């Protein structure tokens, strides 16, 4: 009986699938933004050392 309780309907699975990939996309965007900011910081630190 517990196995049947744990089973998702197709609609529930689709909903979780969409939410998961939306969150994954959000994480990727944040990671990309963080990498750009890190690059800008490194460039500005390099200018301070040479300037």
């Amino acid at each position: 009986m517990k196995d049947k309780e744990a089973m998702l309907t197709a609609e529930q699975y689709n909903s979780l699938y969409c939410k998961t990939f939306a969150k994954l996309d959000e994480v990727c965007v944040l990671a990309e933004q963080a990498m750009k900011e890190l690059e800008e910081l490194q460039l500005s630190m390099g200018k301070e050392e040479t300037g």
Side-chain angles (χ1 to χ4, degrees):
M1 282 291 178
K2 287 187 177 184
D3 288 337
K4 287 188 177 184
E5 291 175 11
M7 296 289 290
L8 297 174
T9 65
E11 186 177 333
Q12 289 171 323
Y13 178 84
N14 186 51
S15 177
L16 285 173
Y17 185 87
C18 290
K19 287 177 185 177
T20 299
F21 277 91
K23 186 59 75 173
L24 182 58
D25 182 60
E26 182 182 332
V27 169
C28 290
V29 168
L30 290 172
E32 186 177 345
Q33 181 182 350
M35 291 301 291
K36 286 179 183 178
E37 291 176 8
L38 178 58
E39 184 179 4
E40 290 173 7
L41 177 61
Q42 289 173 332
L43 289 172
S44 69
M45 289 175 69
K47 287 179 184 176
E48 289 176 8
E49 288 179 8
T50 60

